[in-house]
Amino acid sequence: MPVATAQQTPAAKSTNTAGAAHTMKALRKLRAEPGLWYVPDAPIPHVGPRDVLIAVTHAGICGTDRHIYEWDAWSQSRIPVGITTGHEFVGKVVGAGSAVQRIQVGQRVSGEGHIGCGVCQPCRTGRAHICEKVDIIGIDRDGCFAQYLSLPEENCWPVDPKIPDAIAAIFDPLGNAMHTVMAAGVSGRSVLITGVGIIGLMAVTVARAAGAGTIVVSDMDDRRLELAKKLGADLSLRGDDENFHDKVRAATQGQGPEVLLEMSGSARAIRQGFAALRNGGTVAMLGLPSKPVELDLNNDIIFKGATVLGINGRLMYETWFQVENFVLSGRLKLDPIITHQLPLEDFERGFKLMQSGEAIKVVLKMPQA
Amino acid sequence: MPVATAQQTPAAKSTNTAGAAHTMKALRKLRAEPGLWYVPDAPIPHVGPRDVLIAVTHAGICGTDRHIYEWDAWSQSRIPVGITTGHEFVGKVVGAGSAVQRIQVGQRVSGEGHIGCGVCQPCRTGRAHICEKVDIIGIDRDGCFAQYLSLPEENCWPVDPKIPDAIAAIFDPLGNAMHTVMAAGVSGRSVLITGVGIIGLMAVTVARAAGAGTIVVSDMDDRRLELAKKLGADLSLRGDDENFHDKVRAATQGQGPEVLLEMSGSARAIRQGFAALRNGGTVAMLGLPSKPVELDLNNDIIFKGATVLGINGRLMYETWFQVENFVLSGRLKLDPIITHQLPLEDFERGFKLMQSGEAIKVVLKMPQA
Amino acid sequence: MPVATAQQTPAAKSTNTAGAAHTMKALRKLRAEPGLWYVPDAPIPHVGPRDVLIAVTHAGICGTDRHIYEWDAWSQSRIPVGITTGHEFVGKVVGAGSAVQRIQVGQRVSGEGHIGCGVCQPCRTGRAHICEKVDIIGIDRDGCFAQYLSLPEENCWPVDPKIPDAIAAIFDPLGNAMHTVMAAGVSGRSVLITGVGIIGLMAVTVARAAGAGTIVVSDMDDRRLELAKKLGADLSLRGDDENFHDKVRAATQGQGPEVLLEMSGSARAIRQGFAALRNGGTVAMLGLPSKPVELDLNNDIIFKGATVLGINGRLMYETWFQVENFVLSGRLKLDPIITHQLPLEDFERGFKLMQSGEAIKVVLKMPQA
Amino acid sequence: MPVATAQQTPAAKSTNTAGAAHTMKALRKLRAEPGLWYVPDAPIPHVGPRDVLIAVTHAGICGTDRHIYEWDAWSQSRIPVGITTGHEFVGKVVGAGSAVQRIQVGQRVSGEGHIGCGVCQPCRTGRAHICEKVDIIGIDRDGCFAQYLSLPEENCWPVDPKIPDAIAAIFDPLGNAMHTVMAAGVSGRSVLITGVGIIGLMAVTVARAAGAGTIVVSDMDDRRLELAKKLGADLSLRGDDENFHDKVRAATQGQGPEVLLEMSGSARAIRQGFAALRNGGTVAMLGLPSKPVELDLNNDIIFKGATVLGINGRLMYETWFQVENFVLSGRLKLDPIITHQLPLEDFERGFKLMQSGEAIKVVLKMPQA
């Protein structure tokens, strides 16, 4: 396990409001190469007047964290070396800045990792998730793979006590799925979900609970296709099925799906999904392709009269209300998605389980302070 | 002028309901090569029980007609040789099938050239313009570059007597512009129109009348850029302006346009427009690229939270009501767009004026029957 | 059983297209007083060039039919004496006018009873259900409580063979419920349904299938409240429950329902529902009060930022697609709602069962021709 | 002029951040009776850590202020005696709390007077204007008819330097008009505005700039009807015109207006407006009736398929962006609406000018500190 000391890290000017402790355990990106480093004595983050300090108890590993771990091209262009990673979490508020008004020490909170500038048009109109200057925890500033996290109070989401920690820790990705499903509008409509990775699988159970008609999913991983059916999909298809379009049409009133939820980021799946879409249909795009994608705009969008929605993050905070209400309704199947819960120190194993496809969602448990 | 006889044409089984006349003058696509042929003795089209026969008086030349005239790749793949071309028109009803209920002989009508199947979901829900089996006059079946046109009565649009013939003849392309503008929703929003050909120019005056905020246009033709300003654009930019994005941002609250109306079909302009779009903005795409276009989906659509709308034809018949009401309001500037009115026999000159860029919209006047 | 002959009826100039038969059995409103009359020799209705003749097999009794039967103030003002009543049905096409294009003799069809003028803005924009000059079968012209019904072909809805006759016969009221639920938008939102008569009960099962969050219902009839729970309501409340608002709030995140589906027509329930509605909520109003209702517009609508939707009939034909898809999905519980199927001759018993509250939906079976 | 000392007022525990001054001039509601009192030595308001202190330079008198001045039933039930009144203003930031991040001392700001709780669903979803616990300045807490105003920084709106003070001072009511117009959606649609008081007149010029089709207005005041025409109305009608409906229909394609903006609060005008509305039309209700109103729900809303929107305040802060952009576009006519600018001390005259109908909008100028 790679270990490093706080002296190597760039965020040393913190203010300690976490009781007697002066340092904490954290996973940091200490070098511009694959891997994350377990730092036993990272500084506890600074808490500004409007921030709270959260003692993180559980944190989910996101596909984005895996990109950072593997140090792909995107990570190299975006991630500041030295940062504490992680952005999905639940924990307990243990400190509060002088101007904090709405969150109390002692509350259990999850939180929104997108921190908007607060002055631009999106931020001022309930759409801070598309702020041009957004800072994201674990990506642009220190995140939640650590014993402590500093977060503006308005980014905190107090979690209903009836919701288990492991679920509360993944409100962020569940929010991605929720935002995608609700933006597209699936109630009574046939749906194709291209790509059933973590968020695609969540989208299956969310779409089913949200009143979707027929749900078809596609992927190249048979295990996930199988799991998707357990979560509510009516039909699971391999992306390379040679009768893909005929089978999709047969399942969707002979006309193709009214809604496409694109969650693969695969150019092939994107084109396949657009081609399958019914005239007048809606596409919600969440999956991130690794490079530009060639689209037949005439046949896929223009003649079809399609509506295409770019989906980023979660609505702040409409999506959070939806996530909490759906979870409390008991109509979501999330347990089959959270396949592993591991102590922070076993993070290497967590990433390897994700890489092998053995795990779906891995939740890390923080050491007690 | 190429001339041909009816014997060479494929639509000979017509029923004559046009008084004593048995043949008519028409422009037909007689051979699979560039050009159109003036046919002095084409058969008068068949009128079914629900159809009316219209004595066409004025017909607009569309960019699509130019593609057919030039016999480009798209035309070769779609147009049945022998067809009468043209789909923008106004005329007078001179005959009616036995089951016609709502249109009277004598009415002046323009009409919708998209003829839906009538049974599919789009046709049954007020969206026949995206019927999968739509037949378009002048493309899939005989059109209006002729003395007579047969059309289902429900596709007829009785035109208010206060509207001049030349304007009534271009309700179809004006409807394309209207549908694009109204689908995007420009009221109080900043707008970028990429491409100010015929429909782009119409979109300028429609967007201004529909309450747009700042209107910026781009094109590669300086004359059209100049005309766009006369029609209501606040800023006209060449697409190759090296400070394009800075200038667009400066004109749109520093954030880029809230609405992009894509009317060029140019891959370069499409990418430029998406890049300029404000986060959370709306794109309405009408221009048809000649081949697939590579898009940076992450930055152009997904992270941006953009909404992209494919625009095809006109809403049947919401758009027609809007076109008529806008024209009657006196708030549209259409006269500068209709640059030429020519007799049918001069069609070659009309196409050449369009090709040279000298003409914007050319309207053909039919010979009296 | 009141019996009358065709001579007493006003619609004698029919054209016979129903094989050898010249007359048919029908329920008619022969006198301006309570009751319906069984006419054994009513004329078979006229079939115009665009109409089909349907041999009705099953017809539902609507609350409106009961108003006509009881001859209330509304009926006296609207119903032409002599008319054949009934507007919910399924049957088989046995004849077709000369210009019929899309419906074939032999098809099983249900149908939309609202016959629009075809030329007004609503009719021309997919909203014929709000045509100002709409004719409704069984109300303004002869209806379906008869062996034969004449209907424009475009009002026919071919029914999927997997759907039983009794369900196909009630697509019309199920469409009322569907239109109300889908217009309001219940996916993931808490819902209060005031009034669980026939359509209110249908709305419960539709809302559940459409992805509603918590569903609360209110009524004054304990049997219906009980049935509503079986159909998917989470909480059933009597309208006179003295802790009504506290209980509704407790069930809806402490803020009241996000959606109100008003299906009672009761002034008291309407006011109670508006008062319960969450700020920013949506109200869909279907129930018809018997006289004007006093509303506290400031607190119920304006300060609350509410959206109120008037719901009339069904979308033509978006709602019909939804009804068919929901029925085929197997996610609706309709069997408990169709409590009785009776032969046409027992219509008096059917009305009495409805009046006593013993029946929910009664379906009449037509005698074979 | 009634004068009082700070000792009589309830808000004495202020923190002074306004330089050497310890008191200020203010208009206060000192007694539970008609009138306002000019207090020369009111305490300067307290500034919390997230608040700024604004030296008010201009403040508009709202119809609500007139209700408070006249001490009507609503005021008696809502206004705490002792409060400083006024909620429309522009001024300069002269002090800032310790946690203020986005607003700088020296900025010219107008501001939103609705102060949400910050934790409820509306507040967390960009709709703080319908927070159940909203505090409004000048109504629930001290307002802007004073030399100094304390306001949360997030409620501040920095005003573009090109906008004159008198216009900046009325962004609040202009925002009411803007919110109403934009919520209804007037682009290309015919509009009836019932009631052309201050906000109704603003709605005329906003609707015209926002792309409305025909605009009809109604009122009982001939001067205002005349002014409405200057601002862009196509037709001005007295509410008691005996041919009201015929004239409205004649001006709106024979079908009535597609949009009703209800700005009178008069029961008669409300019913008249609903009756005139086209089937499928939209109503935005802003005017506040003084008591419950009886509506014919069947004919006015349900059969008509109407959409009714309750309009409260302004969207926070979508409306503010719209207001600024429309004002900067130069397309609004506001000068004829601001009829008087008076020094604070002449407030009695301002109210009397409003009561007589001589003034439309009166702006008070604050004495220099």
Side-chain angles (χ1 to χ4, degrees):
Chain A
M1 185 172 65
V3 170
T5 67
Q7 283 72 15
Q8 295 174 277
T9 74
K13 284 178 291 184
S14 66
T15 295
N16 177 8
T17 62
H22 289 262
T23 61
M24 65 175 187
K25 298 169 180 114
L27 290 192
R28 295 192 143 193
K29 186 76 196 180
L30 290 187
R31 295 183 207 137
E33 63 187 54
L36 284 179
W37 285 262
Y38 180 87
V39 179
D41 57 351
I44 288 170
H46 173 76
V47 177
R50 295 185 173 196
D51 301 330
V52 297
L53 190 71
I54 300 163
V56 179
T57 59
H58 301 72
I61 303 182
C62 177
T64 302
D65 297 318
R66 186 177 150 193
H67 289 305
I68 298 172
Y69 177 81
E70 296 174 349
W71 203 235
D72 67 1
W74 170 81
S75 303
Q76 295 175 34
S77 73
R78 174 78 180 263
I79 304 298
V81 172
I83 203 173
T84 298
T85 54
H87 55 272
E88 309 172 357
F89 73 94
V90 68
K92 193 173 171 180
V93 175
V94 294
S98 60
V100 166
Q101 298 175 327
R102 295 155 190 163
I103 296 291
Q104 277 79 46
V105 169
Q107 278 189 294
R108 185 173 69 138
V109 296
S110 181
E112 170 59 58
H114 282 57
I115 298 167
C117 73
V119 297
C120 71
Q121 186 179 354
C123 280
R124 295 283 271 172
T125 56
R127 300 175 300 151
H129 65 296
I130 50 169
C131 168
E132 277 200 357
K133 298 177 184 164
V134 72
D135 262 4
I136 305 179
I137 64 168
I139 289 177
D140 301 304
R141 51 184 268 173
D142 285 336
C144 67
F145 287 163
Q147 287 179 295
Y148 295 101
L149 168 71
S150 173
L151 198 70
E153 70 159 326
E154 75 177 76
N155 282 57
C156 292
W157 183 264
V159 184
D160 188 284
K162 287 189 287 296
I163 297 173
D165 282 330
I167 304 290
I170 59 165
F171 267 33
D172 170 303
L174 187 53
N176 292 125
M178 183 67 68
H179 181 191
T180 312
V181 169
M182 300 308 274
V186 300
S187 183
R189 300 168 82 195
S190 51
V191 178
L192 170 62
I193 303 176
T194 44
V196 280
I198 302 172
I199 297 178
L201 288 168
M202 289 173 170
V204 173
T205 185
V206 170
R208 175 53 62 231
T214 302
I215 299 175
V216 181
V217 302
S218 70
D219 203 299
M220 300 299 285
D221 180 319
D222 292 331
R223 285 175 299 184
R224 289 171 183 241
L225 286 171
E226 200 54 41
L227 180 51
K229 292 192 74 168
K230 287 185 188 137
L231 298 176
D234 297 293
L235 176 64
S236 280
L237 288 175
R238 285 187 60 90
D240 55 5
D241 188 312
E242 60 185 17
N243 297 313
F244 184 85
H245 285 290
D246 290 345
K247 290 180 181 174
V248 171
R249 286 218 153 202
T252 53
Q253 294 101 35
Q255 299 168 77
E258 292 165 291
V259 173
L260 167 64
L261 307 179
E262 207 308 294
M263 303 206 149
S264 71
S266 147
R268 173 192 171 139
I270 291 170
R271 285 193 287 259
Q272 198 173 40
F274 270 101
L277 186 71
R278 185 178 302 191
N279 279 7
T282 302
V283 180
M285 307 195 75
L286 182 78
L288 298 173
S290 54
K291 55 181 184 179
V293 174
E294 202 173 68
L295 288 181
D296 177 357
L297 295 174
N298 295 356
N299 290 308
D300 289 348
I301 297 182
I302 299 173
F303 292 142
K304 203 164 255 186
T307 298
V308 183
L309 307 169
I311 305 293
N312 183 27
R314 296 145 300 278
L315 297 182
M316 294 160 68
Y317 289 84
E318 184 65 22
T319 305
W320 292 80
F321 285 94
Q322 293 167 337
V323 165
E324 184 153 301
N325 289 338
F326 270 82
V327 169
L328 288 173
S329 78
R331 281 190 272 269
L332 298 186
K333 294 181 186 173
L334 297 171
D335 290 342
I337 293 172
I338 304 174
T339 53
H340 296 79
Q341 297 196 43
L342 303 174
L344 178 66
E345 296 87 338
D346 285 357
F347 70 95
E348 299 267 20
R349 193 176 147 231
F351 282 100
K352 286 186 175 27
L353 284 164
M354 287 176 72
Q355 288 170 324
S356 73
E358 195 176 337
I360 308 288
K361 174 56 78 181
V362 177
V363 171
L364 297 175
K365 292 187 283 188
M366 296 299 131
Q368 300 290 343
Chain B
M1 185 173 67
V3 171
T5 68
Q7 284 70 14
Q8 295 174 277
T9 73
K13 284 177 290 182
S14 66
T15 294
N16 177 8
T17 62
H22 289 262
T23 60
M24 66 177 185
K25 296 167 181 118
L27 289 192
R28 296 193 143 193
K29 187 75 196 181
L30 291 186
R31 297 185 205 134
E33 62 188 52
L36 284 180
W37 285 261
Y38 180 88
V39 179
D41 56 352
I44 288 170
H46 173 77
V47 177
R50 295 186 175 197
D51 299 330
V52 298
L53 188 72
I54 300 163
V56 178
T57 59
H58 299 73
I61 303 181
C62 176
T64 301
D65 297 316
R66 185 176 151 194
H67 290 305
I68 298 171
Y69 177 82
E70 296 174 350
W71 203 235
D72 68 1
W74 170 82
S75 303
Q76 295 175 34
S77 72
R78 175 76 180 264
I79 303 298
V81 172
I83 202 172
T84 298
T85 53
H87 55 272
E88 309 173 357
F89 72 95
V90 69
K92 193 172 171 181
V93 176
V94 294
S98 60
V100 166
Q101 297 175 328
R102 296 157 189 161
I103 296 291
Q104 277 80 45
V105 169
Q107 278 189 294
R108 186 175 68 138
V109 296
S110 180
E112 170 58 56
H114 282 57
I115 299 167
C117 73
V119 296
C120 71
Q121 186 178 355
C123 280
R124 293 285 271 172
T125 57
R127 299 175 298 151
H129 65 297
I130 50 170
C131 168
E132 278 199 357
K133 298 176 184 164
V134 71
D135 263 3
I136 306 179
I137 63 168
I139 290 177
D140 303 305
R141 52 184 267 173
D142 285 335
C144 67
F145 286 163
Q147 287 180 295
Y148 295 101
L149 168 71
S150 172
L151 199 70
E153 71 159 327
E154 76 177 76
N155 281 57
C156 293
W157 184 263
V159 184
D160 189 284
K162 287 189 288 295
I163 297 175
D165 283 330
I167 304 290
I170 60 166
F171 267 32
D172 170 303
L174 187 52
N176 291 127
M178 183 67 67
H179 181 193
T180 312
V181 169
M182 300 307 275
V186 301
S187 182
R189 300 168 84 195
S190 50
V191 178
L192 171 62
I193 302 175
T194 43
V196 280
I198 302 171
I199 297 178
L201 288 168
M202 288 173 171
V204 173
T205 184
V206 170
R208 175 54 62 231
T214 302
I215 299 175
V216 181
V217 302
S218 69
D219 203 299
M220 299 299 286
D221 181 319
D222 292 331
R223 285 174 297 184
R224 288 170 184 241
L225 287 171
E226 200 54 40
L227 179 52
K229 292 192 75 168
K230 287 186 188 135
L231 297 176
D234 296 292
L235 177 65
S236 280
L237 287 175
R238 283 187 62 89
D240 56 4
D241 188 312
E242 60 185 16
N243 297 312
F244 184 85
H245 285 291
D246 290 345
K247 289 179 181 174
V248 172
R249 286 218 153 202
T252 53
Q253 296 101 35
Q255 299 168 78
E258 292 166 292
V259 173
L260 168 63
L261 307 179
E262 208 307 294
M263 302 204 149
S264 71
S266 146
R268 173 193 170 139
I270 291 170
R271 285 194 288 261
Q272 198 174 41
F274 270 101
L277 185 72
R278 186 178 300 193
N279 279 8
T282 302
V283 180
M285 305 195 76
L286 182 79
L288 298 174
S290 55
K291 55 182 184 176
V293 174
E294 203 173 67
L295 288 182
D296 177 357
L297 294 173
N298 295 357
N299 290 309
D300 288 349
I301 297 182
I302 299 173
F303 292 143
K304 203 163 254 185
T307 297
V308 183
L309 307 170
I311 305 294
N312 183 26
R314 296 144 301 277
L315 297 182
M316 293 160 67
Y317 287 85
E318 184 65 22
T319 305
W320 291 80
F321 286 95
Q322 294 167 337
V323 165
E324 182 152 301
N325 289 337
F326 272 80
V327 169
L328 288 173
S329 78
R331 280 189 273 270
L332 297 187
K333 294 181 186 173
L334 296 171
D335 290 342
I337 294 173
I338 303 174
T339 53
H340 296 78
Q341 297 195 44
L342 304 174
L344 178 66
E345 296 86 337
D346 285 356
F347 70 95
E348 299 267 20
R349 192 175 148 231
F351 282 101
K352 283 183 179 29
L353 285 164
M354 288 176 71
Q355 287 170 325
S356 72
E358 196 175 337
I360 308 288
K361 173 57 77 182
V362 176
V363 171
L364 297 175
K365 291 187 283 187
M366 295 299 131
Q368 300 290 344
Chain C
M1 186 172 67
V3 170
T5 68
Q7 283 71 14
Q8 295 175 277
T9 74
K13 285 178 290 183
S14 65
T15 294
N16 177 9
T17 62
H22 289 263
T23 60
M24 65 176 185
K25 298 169 181 115
L27 290 192
R28 296 193 143 193
K29 187 76 196 180
L30 291 186
R31 295 182 207 139
E33 61 188 53
L36 284 179
W37 286 261
Y38 181 89
V39 178
D41 56 352
I44 288 170
H46 172 76
V47 176
R50 295 186 175 197
D51 299 330
V52 297
L53 188 72
I54 300 163
V56 179
T57 59
H58 299 73
I61 304 182
C62 177
T64 301
D65 298 316
R66 186 176 150 194
H67 289 305
I68 299 171
Y69 177 81
E70 296 174 349
W71 203 235
D72 67 0
W74 170 83
S75 303
Q76 295 175 33
S77 72
R78 174 78 179 262
I79 304 298
V81 172
I83 202 172
T84 298
T85 54
H87 55 272
E88 310 173 357
F89 73 93
V90 69
K92 193 173 171 179
V93 175
V94 294
S98 60
V100 166
Q101 298 175 326
R102 297 157 189 161
I103 296 290
Q104 277 79 44
V105 169
Q107 279 189 295
R108 186 175 67 138
V109 297
S110 182
E112 170 60 56
H114 282 57
I115 299 167
C117 73
V119 297
C120 70
Q121 186 178 354
C123 279
R124 294 284 273 171
T125 57
R127 300 174 299 151
H129 65 297
I130 50 170
C131 168
E132 278 200 357
K133 299 176 183 164
V134 71
D135 262 3
I136 306 179
I137 63 168
I139 290 176
D140 302 305
R141 50 183 268 173
D142 284 336
C144 67
F145 286 163
Q147 287 179 295
Y148 296 100
L149 169 70
S150 173
L151 199 69
E153 71 160 325
E154 76 177 75
N155 282 56
C156 292
W157 183 264
V159 184
D160 189 283
K162 289 189 287 295
I163 297 174
D165 282 330
I167 304 290
I170 60 166
F171 267 32
D172 170 303
L174 187 51
N176 291 126
M178 184 67 68
H179 180 192
T180 312
V181 169
M182 300 307 276
V186 301
S187 182
R189 300 167 84 195
S190 50
V191 179
L192 170 62
I193 303 175
T194 43
V196 280
I198 301 172
I199 297 178
L201 288 168
M202 289 173 170
V204 173
T205 184
V206 170
R208 174 53 63 230
T214 302
I215 299 175
V216 180
V217 302
S218 70
D219 203 298
M220 299 299 285
D221 180 319
D222 292 332
R223 285 176 298 185
R224 289 170 183 241
L225 287 171
E226 200 54 41
L227 179 52
K229 293 193 74 167
K230 288 187 187 135
L231 297 176
D234 296 292
L235 176 65
S236 280
L237 288 175
R238 283 187 61 90
D240 57 2
D241 188 312
E242 61 185 16
N243 297 311
F244 184 86
H245 285 290
D246 290 346
K247 289 180 181 175
V248 171
R249 286 217 153 202
T252 53
Q253 296 100 35
Q255 299 167 78
E258 292 165 292
V259 173
L260 168 63
L261 307 180
E262 207 308 294
M263 303 205 150
S264 71
S266 146
R268 173 194 170 137
I270 291 170
R271 285 194 287 261
Q272 197 174 41
F274 270 101
L277 185 72
R278 185 178 302 191
N279 279 8
T282 302
V283 179
M285 307 196 76
L286 181 79
L288 298 174
S290 54
K291 55 181 185 178
V293 175
E294 202 174 68
L295 288 181
D296 177 356
L297 294 174
N298 295 357
N299 289 308
D300 289 349
I301 297 182
I302 299 173
F303 292 142
K304 203 163 253 185
T307 297
V308 183
L309 307 170
I311 305 294
N312 183 26
R314 296 144 301 278
L315 297 182
M316 294 161 67
Y317 289 83
E318 184 64 22
T319 305
W320 290 81
F321 286 95
Q322 293 167 337
V323 165
E324 183 153 302
N325 289 337
F326 271 81
V327 169
L328 289 173
S329 78
R331 280 189 273 271
L332 296 187
K333 295 181 185 172
L334 296 171
D335 290 342
I337 294 173
I338 303 173
T339 54
H340 297 78
Q341 297 195 43
L342 303 175
L344 178 66
E345 296 86 338
D346 285 356
F347 71 95
E348 299 266 19
R349 193 177 147 230
F351 282 100
K352 284 184 177 28
L353 284 164
M354 287 176 72
Q355 288 171 325
S356 72
E358 196 176 336
I360 308 287
K361 174 57 78 181
V362 176
V363 171
L364 297 175
K365 291 187 283 188
M366 295 300 130
Q368 300 291 344
Chain D
M1 185 173 67
V3 170
T5 67
Q7 284 71 15
Q8 293 174 278
T9 73
K13 284 178 291 181
S14 66
T15 295
N16 177 9
T17 62
H22 289 262
T23 60
M24 65 176 187
K25 296 166 182 117
L27 290 192
R28 296 193 142 192
K29 187 75 195 182
L30 290 187
R31 295 184 206 136
E33 62 188 54
L36 283 180
W37 285 260
Y38 180 88
V39 179
D41 57 351
I44 288 171
H46 173 76
V47 176
R50 296 185 174 196
D51 300 331
V52 297
L53 189 72
I54 299 163
V56 179
T57 59
H58 300 71
I61 303 182
C62 177
T64 302
D65 298 316
R66 185 176 149 193
H67 289 305
I68 298 171
Y69 177 82
E70 296 174 349
W71 203 234
D72 68 0
W74 170 82
S75 303
Q76 295 175 33
S77 73
R78 175 77 179 264
I79 303 299
V81 172
I83 203 174
T84 298
T85 54
H87 55 271
E88 309 173 357
F89 72 94
V90 68
K92 192 173 172 180
V93 176
V94 293
S98 59
V100 166
Q101 298 175 328
R102 295 155 191 163
I103 296 292
Q104 277 80 44
V105 169
Q107 279 188 294
R108 186 174 69 139
V109 296
S110 180
E112 170 60 56
H114 282 58
I115 298 167
C117 73
V119 298
C120 71
Q121 187 179 352
C123 280
R124 294 285 271 172
T125 57
R127 300 175 299 152
H129 65 296
I130 49 169
C131 168
E132 277 199 358
K133 298 176 183 165
V134 71
D135 263 4
I136 306 178
I137 64 168
I139 290 177
D140 301 305
R141 51 183 270 173
D142 285 334
C144 68
F145 287 163
Q147 287 180 293
Y148 296 100
L149 168 71
S150 173
L151 199 70
E153 71 159 325
E154 76 177 76
N155 282 57
C156 293
W157 183 265
V159 183
D160 189 283
K162 288 188 287 295
I163 297 173
D165 282 329
I167 304 290
I170 59 166
F171 267 33
D172 170 303
L174 187 52
N176 292 126
M178 183 68 67
H179 181 192
T180 311
V181 169
M182 299 308 275
V186 300
S187 182
R189 300 167 84 195
S190 51
V191 178
L192 170 62
I193 303 176
T194 43
V196 281
I198 302 172
I199 297 178
L201 288 168
M202 288 173 171
V204 173
T205 184
V206 170
R208 174 54 62 231
T214 302
I215 300 176
V216 180
V217 302
S218 70
D219 203 299
M220 299 299 285
D221 181 319
D222 292 331
R223 284 175 299 183
R224 290 171 182 239
L225 287 171
E226 201 53 41
L227 179 51
K229 292 192 75 168
K230 288 186 187 137
L231 297 176
D234 297 293
L235 176 65
S236 280
L237 288 175
R238 283 187 62 89
D240 56 4
D241 188 312
E242 60 185 17
N243 297 312
F244 184 86
H245 285 290
D246 290 346
K247 289 180 180 174
V248 171
R249 286 219 153 201
T252 53
Q253 295 100 36
Q255 299 168 76
E258 292 165 292
V259 173
L260 167 64
L261 307 180
E262 207 307 294
M263 303 205 149
S264 71
S266 147
R268 173 192 171 142
I270 291 170
R271 284 193 288 259
Q272 198 174 39
F274 270 101
L277 186 72
R278 184 178 301 192
N279 279 7
T282 302
V283 180
M285 307 195 75
L286 182 79
L288 298 174
S290 55
K291 56 181 184 176
V293 174
E294 202 173 68
L295 288 181
D296 177 356
L297 294 174
N298 295 357
N299 289 309
D300 289 349
I301 297 182
I302 298 173
F303 292 143
K304 202 164 255 185
T307 298
V308 183
L309 307 170
I311 305 293
N312 183 26
R314 295 145 300 278
L315 297 182
M316 292 160 68
Y317 289 84
E318 184 65 21
T319 305
W320 291 80
F321 285 95
Q322 293 167 337
V323 165
E324 183 153 300
N325 289 337
F326 271 81
V327 169
L328 288 173
S329 78
R331 281 190 272 269
L332 297 187
K333 295 181 185 171
L334 296 171
D335 289 342
I337 294 173
I338 303 173
T339 53
H340 296 79
Q341 297 196 42
L342 304 174
L344 178 65
E345 295 86 337
D346 285 357
F347 70 96
E348 299 267 21
R349 192 175 147 230
F351 282 100
K352 286 185 176 26
L353 284 163
M354 288 176 71
Q355 288 170 324
S356 72
E358 195 176 337
I360 308 288
K361 174 57 79 180
V362 176
V363 171
L364 298 174
K365 291 188 281 189
M366 295 300 131
Q368 300 289 344

